[in-house]
Every structure is written in structure tokens, then in C-alpha cells.
Amino acid sequence: MTLLALVKDPDLPGQLTNISLEDCLYIETNKRVILYHHKNGKTYSSVSMLADLMESDFIKEMTFARMDNSNFVNLSKVKAFDSHEGCVFFESNPDNYSKRANIAQKNFSKMRQELEQGKLQLNTRETNSTNVT
């Protein structure tokens, strides 16, 4: 089953569209607005509260995990984890312009567990801008 979010299209002011949560890299909140960072590079916004999303049974079945106070990360989209910067990337070779999501230090062990269990396939090569571990 695909979970859709009704969001504002950033390219079409005043227009709403449905996006698949499976295609979202991560979800964050900013002043009570949910921001969906999509794999197409767009950031869609919604006026729903993150608490509403947390209560959804569908989100629990998907690969999203709450990684800090303001975001859920789609673990199936993570390609790199930087424990020094406290973030994950959605590209194998991230740079300063790559999309990233913050990870609270208390969730570092969750990321390491995902790695150890083979649930995440990460690039372990170091790059100029990050120390990918």
C-alpha cells in the first residue's frame, strides 16, 4: 500500500498535489509546517502536524524512523552516515550541496545497528566534505 501526502506544489502556487511518501528522502517540521524533501529535489509543504504523521500506522510499516525532534528519515534512501556531523546523506558520494538530514546523537546507535544488520548499504569511502562512516 502506498501512503500519499497532500501537499502544496512549490512550482505551482496555490495548487495541491499528492506525493508518495516512499519517494521522500526525509520529512521535517518548521514552525508547525511539515516539509517533505522529495527525491526529485523539490521540497513540498503541508499544514499537517508531525504528531499526526507519527500516529499513522502506515508510516510505521514503511522505512521511516524518527531521527531527531524535527524529522523522520526514510532509511531505505540513506546512502551515507556522517557521525562527526551528525547527519545522513541520500547520495553515495555526498558533497557540501548534497541533501542531508540531521540525526540526534541519541540515534547514532540506531544508525549503527541498521548498518550492522545489513539493512543499510552505505558507501564507506571518505569524501572531501564529509567523513562517511
Side-chain angles (χ1 to χ4, degrees), residues 70-123:
S70 64
N71 71 44
F72 283 90
V73 173
N74 187 342
L75 297 177
S76 70
K77 304 291 185 191
V78 172
K79 302 294 182 200
F81 170 53
D82 184 337
S83 60
H84 297 288
E85 298 240 353
C87 61
V88 292
F89 296 91
F90 305 98
E91 300 174 10
S92 296
N93 296 307
D95 60 26
N96 289 334
Y97 304 103
S98 299
K99 281 269 191 185
R100 67 179 68 203
N102 293 327
I103 305 296
Q105 190 169 8
K106 69 180 182 179
N107 290 320
F108 283 15
S109 59
K110 185 185 294 187
M111 287 302 299
R112 288 190 183 102
Q113 182 180 14
E114 294 286 326
L115 286 166
E116 290 170 5
Q117 293 177 356
K119 293 180 181 177
L120 298 178
Q121 300 297 319
L122 301 185
N123 183 328

Side-chain angles (χ1 to χ4, degrees), residues 6-54:
L6 183 63
V7 296
K8 298 174 187 174
D9 191 319
D11 294 336
L12 302 169
Q15 297 294 314
L16 299 177
T17 188
N18 281 313
I19 59 170
S20 169
L21 287 185
E22 292 173 358
D23 294 332
C24 290
L25 302 175
Y26 67 103
I27 302 166
E28 69 175 324
T29 59
N30 186 359
K31 298 178 183 175
R32 297 187 156 269
V33 175
I34 298 176
L35 300 174
Y36 298 86
H37 295 268
H38 199 272
K39 69 180 184 180
N40 66 12
K42 292 182 182 181
T43 300
Y44 298 90
S45 64
S46 171
V47 292
S48 300
M49 294 178 55
L50 192 59
D52 296 336
L53 187 62
M54 287 176 54

Side-chain angles (χ1 to χ4, degrees), residues 116-132:
E116 290 170 5
Q117 293 177 356
K119 293 180 181 177
L120 298 178
Q121 300 297 319
L122 301 185
N123 183 328
T124 57
R125 185 177 147 238
E126 290 188 20
T127 66
N128 293 334
S129 62
T130 61
N131 180 15
V132 180

